[in-house]
């Protein structure tokens, strides 16, 4: 009887061991699945990020980020994210990366880490063709539209005053331009790539843009959570690779070949 009991215990032990090994192998297989990093982008900022007819997020930043991920050896998924509050999504861990035409500033560097720059930008003024505006200072007593929480918003605040009621803030560049179309504002200040893309695709609206030396050069960067050195290194590795092998230039030409910086 004792031998039978011992034999049963051996069989049971072996079964438990096999089960444990099976679970361990399952866990190992699961851990082998590559992490997919979530990329926050506000998809109303054409040509950098916008939704196509299939509601897919596409654009310059999307192509650049996909190429970076390919060269950097990691996987990504874009998630439409409102720009106002986009940094909170990153801080809370709801996004791993932000690639949304984000200007690198000293203030933003206090809360996020940026990749090396991947795009040079500047602000432009948009007005109706018959407007007498010739420079930024001419906007002093005018109603000006900006996208909330952008560098355009910050620059206009400095010129017109932070609490000036003539500054009309909206949550997307698309809404800001619609406001200009409807006469709700007399001018708009926004990023050059977006403005040139809009005027090119909406010639019947009769708008023109103005550059002003008062607007400093800006550089876009990809943001990661403060201290995430590993992910930042992967991004910078991929960015350097696509700049070196000509991939970046091809993407740039696709979106900006017929416009100047």
């Amino acid at each position: 009887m004792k031998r039978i009991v011992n034999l049963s215990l051996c069989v049971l032990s072996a079964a438990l061991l096999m089960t444990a090994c099976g679970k361990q192998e399952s866990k190992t297989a699961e851990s082998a699945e590559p992490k997919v990093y979530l990329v926050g982008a506000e998809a109303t900022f054409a040509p950098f990020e916008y939704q196509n007819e299939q509601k897919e997020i596409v654009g310059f930043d999307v192509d650049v980020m996909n190429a970076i991920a390919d060269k950097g050896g990691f996987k990504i998924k874009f998630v439409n994210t409102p720009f106002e509050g986009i940094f909170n999504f990153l801080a809370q861990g709801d996004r791993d990366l932000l690639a949304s035409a984000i200007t690198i500033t000293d203030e933003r560097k206090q809360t996020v880490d940026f990749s090396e720059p991947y795009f040079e930008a500047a602000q432009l003024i948009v007005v109706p063709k018959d407007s007498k505006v010739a420079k930024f200072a001419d906007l002093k007593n005018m109603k000006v539209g900006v996208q909330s929480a952008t560098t355009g918003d910050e620059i206009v605040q400095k010129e017109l005053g932070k609490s000036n009621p003539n500054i009309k803030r909206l949550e997307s560049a698309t809404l800001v331009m619609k406001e200009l179309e409807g006469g709700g504002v007399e001018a708009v200040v926004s990023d050059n790539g977006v403005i040139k893309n809009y005027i090119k695709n909406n010639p019947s609206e009769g708008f023109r843009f103005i550059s002003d030396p008062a607007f400093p050069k800006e550089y876009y960067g990809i943001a990661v959570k403060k201290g995430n050195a590993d992910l930042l290194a992967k991004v910078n590795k991929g960015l350097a690779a696509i700049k070196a092998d000509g991939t970046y230039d091809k993407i740039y030409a696709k979106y900006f070949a017929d416009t100047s910086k």
Side-chain angles (χ1 to χ4, degrees):
M1 177 66 74
K2 191 178 289 185
R3 288 180 182 176
I4 294 173
V5 171
N6 288 342
L7 181 61
S8 298
L9 287 173
C10 288
V11 171
L12 180 60
S13 298
L16 289 172
L17 183 61
M18 288 176 69
T19 302
C21 289
K23 287 181 179 178
Q24 187 64 39
E25 286 174 6
S26 177
K27 285 181 180 179
T28 303
E30 286 175 10
S31 63
E33 288 293 321
K35 176 179 173 61
V36 177
Y37 294 100
L38 299 182
V39 183
E42 184 224 1
T44 61
F45 208 67
F48 295 96
E49 41 272 329
Y50 59 98
Q51 289 184 316
N52 61 17
E53 292 179 357
Q54 290 74 44
K55 299 300 181 183
E56 299 165 326
I57 302 176
V58 296
F60 175 76
D61 283 351
V62 178
D63 287 0
V64 167
M65 193 66 240
N66 280 328
I68 286 172
D70 182 56
K71 296 291 185 180
F74 58 98
K75 294 185 177 297
I76 60 170
K77 178 184 177 182
F78 274 84
V79 184
N80 197 359
T81 308
F83 195 82
E84 190 169 12
I86 199 169
F87 295 104
N88 289 333
F89 282 89
L90 185 67
Q92 293 164 7
D94 297 317
R95 304 289 184 272
D96 301 296
L97 295 156
L98 302 177
S100 193
I102 299 173
T103 299
I104 300 169
T105 68
D106 290 337
E107 183 180 357
R108 289 170 176 170
K109 282 181 180 178
Q110 293 176 20
T111 55
V112 303
D113 288 333
F114 281 105
S115 69
E116 292 298 317
Y118 70 91
F119 189 86
E120 182 183 312
Q123 298 299 305
L124 290 177
I125 303 162
V126 191
V127 292
K129 284 185 177 177
D130 59 359
S131 171
K132 296 192 181 332
V133 171
K135 56 187 182 300
F136 187 38
D138 293 340
L139 304 182
K140 197 73 175 178
N141 298 308
M142 300 177 71
K143 291 181 180 178
V144 182
V146 295
Q147 182 179 358
S148 298
T150 61
T151 48
D153 186 2
E154 293 172 9
I155 287 170
V156 171
Q157 284 182 45
K158 288 177 183 178
E159 182 69 18
L160 275 65
K162 190 171 184 178
S163 59
N164 192 319
N166 282 337
I167 303 174
K168 188 151 191 179
R169 297 178 180 88
L170 293 133
E171 40 182 64
S172 74
T174 302
L175 291 176
V176 174
M177 292 309 299
K178 290 293 182 186
E179 194 69 14
L180 183 62
E181 288 174 19
V185 294
E186 299 166 89
V188 162
V189 174
S190 190
D191 293 38
N192 57 348
V194 173
I195 294 305
K196 290 179 179 181
N197 181 75
Y198 174 84
I199 290 177
K200 170 190 164 187
N201 291 300
N202 297 274
S204 63
E205 294 299 336
F207 294 137
R208 63 184 175 90
F209 66 82
I210 303 154
S211 180
D212 191 305
F215 295 136
K217 286 183 180 179
E218 299 178 14
Y219 297 92
Y220 295 165
I222 295 151
V224 302
K225 192 172 183 179
K226 196 75 177 172
N228 194 343
D230 180 61
L231 182 53
L232 186 63
K234 290 178 181 178
V235 172
N236 279 327
K237 175 186 174 184
L239 180 57
I242 67 170
K243 285 183 176 180
D245 70 4
T247 300
Y248 177 89
D249 291 336
K250 289 177 183 176
I251 297 171
Y252 186 92
K254 174 182 173 182
Y255 291 93
F256 304 107
D258 54 352
T259 63
S260 61
K261 291 185 182 181

